[in-house]
Amino acid sequence: MRAIQIPRLDGPEAAELVDIDEPGTDGVVIDVHAAGVAFPDALQTRGLYQHKAPLPYIPGAEVAGVVRSAPDRSGFTAGDRVAGLCMLTGGMAEVVTLPPDRVFALPDSVSFEAGAGILFNDLTVHCALRTRGRLAEGETVLVHGAAGGIGTSALRLAPAFGAGRTIAVVSTEAKGEIARAAGATDVVLADGFKDSVKELTEGRGVDVVLDPVGGDRFTDSLRSLAPAGRLLVVGFTGGDIPTVRVNRLLLNNVDAIGVGWGAWAATHPGYLAEQWTELQPLLASGAISAPEPVVYPFDEAGAAIASLENRTAVGKVVLRVR
Ligand SMILES: NC(=O)c1ccc[n+]([C@@H]2O[C@H](COP(=O)([O-])OP(=O)(O)OC[C@H]3O[C@@H](n4cnc5c(N)ncnc54)[C@H](OP(=O)(O)O)[C@@H]3O)[C@@H](O)[C@H]2O)c1
């Protein structure tokens, strides 16, 4: 089969298209049509992610395609349209084999390319807003990195989970258009976002901040919270891991909450299935829109991964595999 391989930790450009043996058949075997690209793919190509894959490795956390074969009683049969979670590596290949609990029926209304952009981000955002963030009806959610993969996912999902308003934080006006298309109620620029949020909320602040960026905007995020607000720590695309002066939590009665979706799923058996049971009907009915990813040809995986590293990516990025 054809697959993308990272032979050395030189960054995304090291990605090469190779011919290798297909994986074993002990699990649900999927003919992959599209593979998602996420920020950890970029970090891993430089050895900067917490998980270090032995070289050479196939990048890619998620796929969408058609079941070729499946174990008895797995709930899947040949020909089923599915999305699948590799979690860390292995997705950018023509064939993947996954355990049944990492495979999810894809609604007919969702294309393979959109389907390859759903699981990693939407299940993380579901974990953030529902499980960890306790989003309540009518609350206002501020989303950093709002034109990115996690950001557009948050904008698509938050209203379906009850948010009354979403405020998108982006670095450029062009990214603001992407955030609006994903459903943002309001868009503000990262530069000076605290004052913009104060004005938009008439001084009250927001109930929830979903933050995949971190870095130097963290303190202003805490300052942007209304009383009893929650800052959801999702990632650090900005580079620096911020520190919290905990008096800020005390003074305004706010929470800083870690969101480690993979770790949560690993310690809560059945969690992924529960999440999909909630999300799947919302996607099938259109209550949550499918992502509208930027699609790269398979042999341009390096450029696709680099677009996340160099901050030019808009929305979810996906590879067309076949
Ligand atoms: N906690 C979890 O369980 C979990 C699960 C999945 C992903 N994540 C994390 O979530 C984060 C976002 O992932 P993603 O796939 O959404 O990434 P993405 O599509 O590349 O979006 C990230 C956004 O971060 C902003 N950004 C700010 N400074 C940046 C910089 N120096 N370099 C690159 N981007 C920068 C960019 O928006 P602006 O240009 O508008 O600022 C960009 O749109 C990553 O850190 C990832 O590891 C965490």
Side-chain angles (χ1 to χ4, degrees), residues 124-194:
T124 297
V125 166
H126 176 275
C127 179
L129 294 179
R130 299 280 277 179
T131 308
R132 302 288 293 139
R134 311 180 305 275
L135 181 66
E137 199 64 32
E139 287 192 319
T140 297
V141 181
L142 179 81
V143 179
H144 284 293
I150 289 282
T152 48
S153 169
L155 294 171
R156 290 171 34 249
L157 268 58
F161 297 157
R165 185 181 194 181
T166 51
I167 303 177
V169 184
V170 291
S171 59
T172 65
E173 299 286 357
K175 287 190 175 184
E177 290 310 310
I178 302 295
R180 275 194 192 88
T185 320
D186 302 277
V187 176
V188 301
L189 290 174
D191 204 14
F193 78 90
K194 176 173 70 74

Side-chain angles (χ1 to χ4, degrees), residues 37-40 43 49 120-121 124 144-151 169-172 175 190 212-213 217 233-239 259-262 307-311 313 315-316:
V37 183
F39 204 81
L43 293 174
Y49 197 58
F120 200 68
N121 290 333
T124 297
H144 284 293
I150 289 282
V169 184
V170 291
S171 59
T172 65
K175 287 190 175 184
V213 176
R217 55 178 89 174
V233 179
V234 175
F236 311 103
T237 56
V259 180
W261 162 66
S307 73
L308 277 75
E309 185 180 70
N310 65 29
R311 211 171 170 174
K316 178 71 184 181

Side-chain angles (χ1 to χ4, degrees), residues 9-71:
L9 301 179
D10 281 354
E13 284 74 16
E16 54 190 29
L17 187 59
V18 294
D19 266 307
I20 55 170
D21 291 341
E22 291 186 356
T25 55
D26 185 16
V28 181
V29 182
I30 301 170
D31 284 322
V32 176
H33 283 243
V37 183
F39 204 81
D41 295 317
L43 293 174
Q44 286 186 80
T45 63
R46 296 193 189 279
L48 296 176
Y49 197 58
Q50 56 257 37
H51 168 79
K52 318 278 182 209
L55 294 170
Y57 71 89
I58 300 171
E62 60 185 324
V63 299
V66 176
V67 173
R68 185 193 286 183
S69 65

Side-chain angles (χ1 to χ4, degrees), residues 19-319:
D19 266 307
I20 55 170
D21 291 341
E22 291 186 356
T25 55
D26 185 16
V28 181
V29 182
I30 301 170
D31 284 322
V32 176
H33 283 243
V37 183
F39 204 81
D41 295 317
L43 293 174
Q44 286 186 80
T45 63
R46 296 193 189 279
L48 296 176
Y49 197 58
Q50 56 257 37
H51 168 79
K52 318 278 182 209
L55 294 170
Y57 71 89
I58 300 171
E62 60 185 324
V63 299
V66 176
V67 173
R68 185 193 286 183
S69 65
D72 291 344
R73 291 185 294 281
S74 66
F76 296 100
T77 53
D80 286 349
R81 299 174 83 255
V82 293
L85 266 179
C86 310
M87 283 318 241
L88 292 167
T89 57
M92 296 184 194
E94 285 182 322
V95 184
V96 304
T97 300
L98 293 173
D101 63 355
R102 299 273 192 82
V103 182
F104 306 89
L106 195 60
D108 287 339
S109 55
V110 179
S111 71
F112 290 125
E113 286 160 4
I118 287 177
L119 294 175
F120 200 68
N121 290 333
D122 287 7
L123 298 185
T124 297
V125 166
H126 176 275
C127 179
L129 294 179
R130 299 280 277 179
T131 308
R132 302 288 293 139
R134 311 180 305 275
L135 181 66
E137 199 64 32
E139 287 192 319
T140 297
V141 181
L142 179 81
V143 179
H144 284 293
I150 289 282
T152 48
S153 169
L155 294 171
R156 290 171 34 249
L157 268 58
F161 297 157
R165 185 181 194 181
T166 51
I167 303 177
V169 184
V170 291
S171 59
T172 65
E173 299 286 357
K175 287 190 175 184
E177 290 310 310
I178 302 295
R180 275 194 192 88
T185 320
D186 302 277
V187 176
V188 301
L189 290 174
D191 204 14
F193 78 90
K194 176 173 70 74
D195 294 337
S196 308
V197 168
K198 197 167 181 184
E199 204 176 305
L200 280 173
T201 60
E202 293 169 354
R204 175 181 177 271
V206 299
D207 303 292
V208 172
V209 175
L210 189 145
D211 183 16
V213 176
D216 56 12
R217 55 178 89 174
F218 197 82
T219 300
D220 278 347
S221 289
L222 284 176
R223 290 182 175 128
S224 298
L225 287 172
R230 289 87 72 204
L231 196 172
L232 308 177
V233 179
V234 175
F236 311 103
T237 56
D240 295 333
I241 296 180
T243 50
V244 187
R245 283 163 56 100
V246 293
N247 64 318
R248 294 193 188 286
L249 309 182
L250 176 156
L251 288 171
N252 289 329
N253 286 294
V254 296
D255 296 349
I257 298 177
V259 180
W261 162 66
W264 191 271
T267 52
H268 293 76
Y271 182 64
L272 295 174
E274 281 167 31
Q275 290 192 290
W276 192 243
T277 299
E278 201 172 324
L279 274 178
Q280 206 260 11
L282 296 171
L283 281 161
S285 70
I288 292 176
S289 61
E292 293 182 14
V294 174
V295 182
Y296 281 74
F298 199 28
D299 60 0
E300 289 180 23
I305 299 170
S307 73
L308 277 75
E309 185 180 70
N310 65 29
R311 211 171 170 174
T312 57
V314 283
K316 178 71 184 181
V317 175
V318 160
L319 295 179

